[in-house]
Amino acid sequence: MRTFFTLFVILLWTSVSAQEPGKWAFPAKRDLFSPEALLDLSYLNEDMAGERGFVRLSEDGNGFVRGDGEPIRFWAVNSYVARKPIDEVREHARFLAKRGVNMVRFHGNLPETGREKSTPDMIDETKRDQIWKLVAAMKDEGIYVTLSFYYPHQIKPETARSWPTPRDSRGLTGLIYFDPLIQEAYKGWLRRIMIPENPYTGIALKDDPAVAIVQMQNEDSLLFWTLGQIRGREARLLGAEFGRFLQQKYGSLTAARSAWNGAAAPGPLDKMEDDWNAGVIALSGIWHLTGKARPGRAAARLRDQTEFLTTTMHAWHAEAARYLREEIGAPHLYNAGNWKTADPTVLDDLERYSYTAGDVIGVNRYVGSLHKGERRGWAIVKGDIYREDGVLKRPLDLHVTLKQPLGHPYLISETQWVPPMWRQSEGAPLTAAYQALNGVDISMWFATREVQWREPGSANGFLPSIGKWKVATPMQMGMFPAAALMFRQGLIDQVPPVVIERRGLDELWEGEVPLTAGRMGYDPNRDEGPGSGIRGANASVDPHVYLVGPVAVEFGEDAADYVKSDLDSFIDRRAQRVTSANRQISWDWGQGLVTLDAPRAQGVIGDLTTRGSFELHDITLTSSNTYATIIAVPLDQKPLDRSEKILVQMGTIARPNGWQSRPLETEDGPAREVMAFGRAPWMIDRLSASLTIRNPHLTTATALDPSGMPDGRLEVTRTDGGLTVPLPPDRLYVVLQ
């Protein structure tokens, strides 16, 4: 009886608490993929990924084309669902395709990490099976795969020390660039994954065009703080490589020592000293290569170390790409890396230069805000301090504000609007609009472990908490459809570069401040807060230029830089507004407001109470929401004033049911404290808005449920040549026809 009473109380509490004033409960019911759905974007995908051949570079190298030469853009997510049975993976693929996804990234560690394993080239065959399974399931839904199978940060030091040749370093970070044992192991991993037949498809991955990109590694570099983890035998091995580099550059170590005026290494790795007789030359810790440390008495020495580390990475990236193509026989595009550096101002361009040995440039870059707490890297718990301000008043924190090396596509292999920053409905539309504008090619949302929707829940399955790195939520994946259409169909016009910076290699080695620089991304596991390590303070071009149009860099060129002559007409720092070069996007960071006004994409993101109404080219919006995202895009690719089927997508703020917080002042400014982190379901702020569209072809408005199914006709008012629709307060989508 007591058990029944307890269950009754729980059910009653859930029912009552799900009726929070001004909110509605998100119905995360299973999508049954009915053909009656009015919103299903799977038609954007090929019937089978790779049916026209391998994805390759466009003629200018800056984008992707299919095997038949037709341009292709990718809307992508990181998926861990391949850990589930194949039927569930296939269902997951259908769920993603319906929402506009045509690429997933497999991210895991293929090397076997068990302590009893005897050879470094052994692999985790369970992970390989997951890769095979994922490729097969996604292929059938027209979804391509990017493979990321080496993450040295997750390989434990004790595992490395159990190999026949013991390691002294703290794990494998950085070793692949110079350690022959790790390099040979890596080639073994490639062979074991790419050459055997995939039992789910009957062909090897090396022959499968459904695999679009092979990513060499995840988050590893010799230009990041983890350089300091190289110890003992590995530090001496790297020092010996440095000695050989110096002999080749100067002709002898004596000449190199003379060029350095005998300067010793400041802050050497593992407290090493130069052993000139043995040709083992100490390297300084990475801080000494940052702009804060140079110049100094050891400037010439540090310049040579900068060149050595960068060219060492470049050489390995080139060798790995060669091995994949020539010895494995795999024609896939190759991405060398995706990491950041210890000083983005003077080192980031070196990192990206090292990637040019491959095909695709990469980075991992998240958008977040203040979050302090013991478990802030992976969980939200009671007592955490946070802000949920979104990015609308911090435009330089947008993750796609990136300098792009000419001749290479650019992918962001991990991104997300990271909670407890709950202003997330802006994320997908902002990403799509600015990628369409500036040509950043892929953003891979991180991550989904669910077949379909993710409800609020524990970060690890047992800690009382809310998980952070989840994207299958109503205000992130729920905002995919309009965003995927906007980006994949180019509903915002791309413009030519507004800046082309040409950087000679000597300039890079010297650590000279670049012409343009942006900010670092959000990383709660390594940084102290949002925008940590802000870069660009000394750059001569306003960093808001990244929101005007593409910013490019050309390495090895000494020609003059190009800066758009009328750049100032697009950036108004006094009014705190930046306008895109095509005049289709306006970002008012003072008011926290973005407007889209293109022929085939119009809408408003931010505080919609700042104006009585928003008059765009074909639509008028009114709303009393202090935060909302409302976007209108055609479902037939026609301009909005002539389209016969239009998607209106609406988002506000979603928080866990029962979420409670209180305001407080901190040393970081105004913030909030989590008083209760809540539970399922998602509770979404109700929308109060109306839309008028000037289009004579439209007569009806239908609300949709999260599966795109019709969920009730809306009352409409015919106007002179148009239609006025009170938007529903508790839906994400409306289709106008």
Side-chain angles (χ1 to χ4, degrees):
M1 187 68 179
R2 180 178 298 175
T3 301
F4 174 81
F5 178 76
T6 302
L7 179 61
F8 173 78
V9 170
I10 291 173
L11 292 173
L12 178 64
W13 165 245
T14 301
S15 174
V16 171
S17 62
Q19 305 301 317
E20 297 181 34
K23 300 182 185 298
W24 60 281
F26 180 70
K29 61 182 181 181
R30 185 182 179 191
D31 191 334
L32 300 178
F33 309 111
S34 168
E36 303 301 318
L38 291 181
L39 180 58
D40 182 347
L41 302 186
S42 58
Y43 70 90
L44 295 174
N45 293 1
E46 299 163 83
D47 291 338
M48 180 177 293
E51 64 186 14
R52 294 172 175 85
F54 285 89
V55 173
R56 48 194 173 87
L57 300 184
S58 60
E59 188 173 342
D60 63 5
N62 293 319
F64 299 107
V65 297
R66 301 182 315 198
D68 60 1
E70 286 296 309
I72 185 169
R73 286 178 167 178
F74 296 107
W75 192 256
V77 299
N78 286 259
S79 174
Y80 289 91
V81 175
R83 299 172 180 179
K84 299 179 182 293
I86 185 66
D87 288 347
E88 294 187 43
V89 185
R90 294 189 187 281
E91 179 184 338
H92 176 58
R94 292 188 66 188
F95 183 82
L96 295 179
K98 186 172 180 176
R99 285 148 184 84
V101 172
N102 64 337
M103 177 174 279
V104 298
R105 175 179 180 242
F106 174 91
H107 173 49
N109 236 352
L110 191 66
E112 175 57 69
T113 57
R115 299 183 66 175
E116 303 302 320
K117 303 304 177 183
S118 58
T119 60
D121 65 341
M122 293 189 70
I123 66 168
D124 183 335
E125 295 186 359
T126 300
K127 293 282 180 61
R128 181 176 63 183
D129 186 72
Q130 291 172 10
I131 293 173
W132 284 340
K133 192 190 310 178
L134 188 71
V135 170
M138 295 297 158
K139 181 175 184 174
D140 288 343
E141 296 297 331
I143 299 176
Y144 289 84
V145 175
T146 289
L147 297 180
S148 169
F149 56 84
Y150 176 51
Y151 188 16
H153 179 70
Q154 287 188 338
I155 297 179
K156 298 178 180 179
E158 57 267 25
T159 296
R161 285 195 288 269
S162 72
W163 288 345
T165 304
R167 311 286 93 189
D168 290 332
S169 298
R170 295 170 57 187
L172 300 188
T173 304
L175 302 191
I176 198 168
Y177 294 111
F178 62 91
D179 188 327
L181 178 74
I182 310 304
Q183 291 176 346
E184 285 305 309
Y186 181 84
K187 292 176 179 179
W189 305 330
L190 270 179
R191 290 192 300 271
R192 292 171 186 262
I193 186 178
M194 302 298 291
I195 294 177
E197 178 183 296
N198 179 350
Y200 299 96
T201 63
I203 61 174
L205 294 186
K206 72 180 181 64
D207 300 318
D208 196 336
V211 177
I213 302 171
V214 176
Q215 190 171 61
M216 194 275 282
Q217 47 81 15
N218 184 69
E219 298 185 351
D220 196 11
S221 172
L222 294 176
L223 298 175
F224 190 60
W225 301 108
T226 47
L227 180 69
Q229 295 182 7
I230 298 174
R231 308 282 178 84
R233 282 167 282 201
E234 292 78 66
R236 287 189 61 83
L237 179 60
L238 184 59
E241 290 296 319
F242 190 27
R244 280 188 281 273
F245 165 84
L246 295 170
Q247 286 181 316
Q248 183 175 5
K249 177 173 183 175
Y250 289 101
S252 70
L253 291 179
T254 300
R257 195 172 187 179
S258 176
W260 293 353
N261 293 318
L269 293 181
D270 206 26
K271 300 181 180 180
M272 282 179 58
E273 295 182 358
D274 295 328
D275 188 343
W276 293 97
N277 292 330
V280 178
I281 311 304
L283 290 100
S284 296
I286 196 64
W287 181 85
H288 297 277
L289 272 60
T290 66
K292 295 181 179 180
R294 295 188 290 184
R297 182 173 180 271
R301 179 176 184 139
L302 295 173
R303 177 203 180 282
D304 284 340
Q305 179 176 330
T306 301
E307 180 181 357
F308 164 68
L309 293 178
T310 306
T311 56
T312 295
M313 292 197 300
H314 187 280
W316 166 248
H317 295 153
E319 167 59 15
R322 182 206 66 79
Y323 188 84
L324 179 71
R325 300 268 169 72
E326 297 180 11
E327 300 197 36
I328 298 293
H332 305 88
L333 297 178
Y334 184 75
N335 164 238
N338 58 8
W339 201 212
K340 57 184 179 178
T341 66
D343 184 342
T345 300
V346 300
L347 297 180
D348 255 22
D349 278 348
L350 292 114
E351 182 79 11
R352 306 309 155 209
Y353 165 73
S354 81
Y355 297 169
T356 61
D359 303 299
V360 183
I361 308 301
V363 72
N364 287 352
R365 200 171 185 212
Y366 291 90
V367 177
S369 191
L370 178 74
H371 181 200
K372 291 189 172 183
E374 182 181 352
R375 299 176 177 87
R376 66 174 186 157
W378 57 283
I380 304 165
V381 300
K382 182 178 179 181
D384 283 1
I385 307 300
Y386 75 102
R387 280 198 292 265
E388 60 176 20
D389 52 346
V391 77
L392 294 177
K393 292 192 175 183
R394 299 182 281 121
L396 299 183
D397 286 338
L398 186 67
H399 64 301
V400 298
T401 53
L402 297 166
K403 189 190 302 182
Q404 303 173 60
L406 286 176
H408 299 268
Y410 210 129
L411 73 84
I412 303 172
S413 49
E414 295 179 21
T415 196
Q416 191 201 131
W417 260 241
V418 185
M421 189 181 73
W422 296 120
R423 296 195 172 204
Q424 299 173 327
S425 65
E426 67 200 38
L430 284 178
T431 297
Y434 279 100
Q435 281 190 197
L437 171 75
N438 68 21
V440 170
D441 297 274
I442 310 174
S443 282
M444 297 175 166
W445 296 85
F446 191 90
T448 176
R449 291 171 171 80
E450 292 72 36
V451 174
Q452 294 199 11
W453 295 108
R454 163 79 184 194
E455 290 273 50
S458 171
N460 61 4
F462 56 88
L463 177 75
S465 63
I466 295 294
K468 293 187 65 165
W469 308 102
K470 319 294 181 182
V471 76
T473 60
M475 291 303 132
Q476 298 214 66
M477 193 173 288
M479 297 293 101
F480 275 14
L485 285 165
M486 202 186 316
F487 178 62
R488 292 182 61 182
Q489 295 187 333
L491 306 187
I492 300 291
D493 295 332
Q494 187 171 343
V495 300
V498 295
V499 173
I500 302 177
E501 184 173 6
R502 297 179 172 93
R503 306 205 71 188
L505 297 183
D506 285 341
E507 179 185 346
L508 297 179
W509 315 148
E510 292 289 352
E512 294 184 15
V513 173
L515 182 69
T516 57
R519 292 192 180 193
M520 294 177 69
Y522 171 75
D523 187 347
N525 291 299
R526 299 173 182 86
D527 300 332
E528 289 303 314
S532 292
I534 291 175
R535 52 181 173 161
N538 298 318
S540 57
V541 174
D542 191 317
H544 291 91
V545 69
Y546 290 99
L547 303 169
V548 178
V551 175
V553 60
E554 192 169 11
F555 296 119
E557 291 290 327
D558 294 324
D561 298 321
Y562 165 76
V563 179
K564 187 174 172 61
S565 59
D566 58 345
L567 202 55
D568 290 345
S569 67
F570 299 95
I571 303 172
D572 188 338
R573 294 188 72 97
R574 177 171 294 182
Q576 297 182 294
R577 183 180 299 111
V578 57
T579 304
S580 63
N582 57 18
R583 304 289 181 182
Q584 294 177 353
I585 315 174
S586 177
W587 192 320
D588 182 335
W589 73 84
Q591 292 188 319
L593 195 67
V594 173
T595 56
L596 308 180
D597 201 357
R600 296 186 295 159
Q602 295 172 33
V604 185
I605 305 170
D607 185 348
L608 306 192
T609 66
T610 56
R611 305 177 195 171
S613 66
F614 294 86
E615 293 284 344
L616 304 174
H617 190 272
D618 300 307
I619 68 175
T620 299
L621 283 167
T622 61
S623 174
S624 59
N625 286 81
T626 56
Y627 179 80
T629 300
I630 304 175
I631 307 292
V633 294
L635 290 169
D636 56 10
Q637 297 200 56
K638 298 177 183 179
L640 288 171
D641 63 347
R642 300 196 300 274
S643 174
E644 297 177 41
K645 189 175 183 182
I646 291 173
L647 169 65
V648 181
Q649 181 173 285
M650 306 153 292
T652 55
I653 294 176
R655 301 182 185 88
N657 178 27
W659 176 274
Q660 295 180 30
S661 65
R662 68 179 181 92
L664 76 166
E665 287 294 325
T666 72
E667 59 184 10
D668 302 296
R672 303 191 71 84
E673 180 182 1
V674 178
M675 305 302 292
F677 51 77
R679 60 200 171 279
W682 292 107
M683 299 301 298
I684 302 177
D685 290 356
R686 296 172 73 86
L687 181 73
S688 176
S690 176
L691 176 146
T692 297
I693 183 162
R694 292 170 283 282
N695 177 325
H697 304 291
L698 304 174
T699 59
T700 64
T702 305
L704 308 183
D705 71 8
S707 296
M709 295 293 291
D711 200 19
R713 285 286 183 94
L714 302 176
E715 293 186 6
V716 300
T717 302
R718 294 289 302 167
T719 60
D720 185 19
L723 194 73
T724 295
V725 185
L727 297 175
D730 53 358
R731 298 293 186 275
L732 302 183
Y733 317 114
V734 168
V735 168
L736 309 178
Q737 292 177 290

